[in-house]
Amino acid sequence: ESAGLTVSATLTEEDRTKDNGVVIKQSLEAGSTVPKGSTMTITVNKIQQQVSGTIKINLKSLTNYKQQYEEEKNTISNTIDKVPVEPDEVEVRVVVDDKDTLLKEKHDEDETNISVPITGVGTVTIKVYVDDVLKGSKQVNLNEQKEITFE
C-alpha cells in the first residue's frame, strides 16, 4: 500500500508447512514494475485448528418414547395392578461427514442424556441414527458451536 498499490487479502488456503498468518501467494510477481493503483491480491495462510465439542442426544424425545404398562393380577388383593414395562434397547449411531462413526452403542429408548465427544475442524455434518433410521442431521461450525443437541 505504501508503494501505491491496492491490496486485497484472502484467507482461504491452508499450508501446514508454513506458519499461520504468513503470505503464501501473491498475484503480482515479486520485483515486477506495475502502475500505481494496481491491485495485488495476497493469500494469507490460515491453518484451521482442531476444536472439541459435545453432542447431546435425548433419545426419549427422538424415539417418541411413551412408558408402557402391563396389567398384572395381584393374587393377594385380587386386583389388577399396572406395572411399568422396561424400555426396549435401541442402537444409537452418530456419524460425522458420512465417514467417521463416533458412537455405535445400545441404549434404552427412554434415555435423555447421551453425551458424545466430537473433535474436528470447521464445519461438519453430524447425523444421528436410531436402529439405522436417520433421526437427525445438522451441519455445525465447531469454531462457533461447542454443544450440539439432538432431541
Side-chain angles (χ1 to χ4, degrees):
E1 290 176 336
S2 64
L5 299 176
T6 302
V7 179
S8 170
T10 62
L11 300 168
T12 57
E13 291 194 29
E14 179 177 32
D15 183 345
R16 291 203 172 261
T17 65
K18 297 187 170 82
D19 289 335
N20 200 29
V22 299
V23 175
I24 55 176
K25 280 199 275 185
Q26 62 186 45
S27 63
L28 300 176
E29 191 73 34
S32 63
T33 304
V34 294
K36 282 191 178 198
S38 295
T39 299
M40 178 168 64
T41 302
I42 60 173
T43 302
V44 180
N45 199 22
K46 171 90 170 112
I47 299 175
Q48 294 193 30
Q49 302 297 315
Q50 282 222 342
V51 293
S52 297
T54 305
I55 301 167
K56 301 277 187 179
I57 302 170
N58 181 335
L59 192 53
K60 183 177 181 176
S61 177
L62 288 179
T63 61
N64 295 317
Y65 176 78
K66 304 278 189 269
Q67 178 69 58
Q68 301 291 315
Y69 295 91
E70 64 182 33
E71 292 183 354
E72 216 173 70
K73 186 167 184 174
N74 186 327
T75 54
I76 296 169
S77 64
N78 204 20
T79 60
I80 301 290
D81 294 328
K82 293 205 179 241
V83 178
V85 175
E86 290 296 314
D88 289 334
E89 270 196 341
V90 293
E91 184 181 78
V92 179
R93 189 166 47 101
V94 178
V95 180
V96 177
D97 291 334
D98 289 329
K99 60 183 177 187
D100 297 324
T101 300
L102 299 183
L103 176 77
K104 186 175 183 179
E105 296 178 348
K106 295 275 186 178
H107 288 268
D108 287 338
E109 63 184 326
D110 67 341
E111 279 192 58
T112 58
N113 193 18
I114 300 170
S115 188
V116 182
I118 182 171
T119 303
V121 175
T123 301
V124 296
T125 301
I126 302 166
K127 293 181 180 178
V128 175
Y129 296 86
V130 177
D131 285 341
D132 288 326
V133 175
L134 180 64
K135 291 294 185 173
S137 178
K138 293 184 180 184
Q139 196 168 48
V140 179
N141 184 334
L142 293 172
N143 296 317
E144 298 169 1
Q145 191 174 353
K146 303 291 185 239
E147 188 171 293
I148 304 98
T149 303
F150 287 86
E151 52 188 2

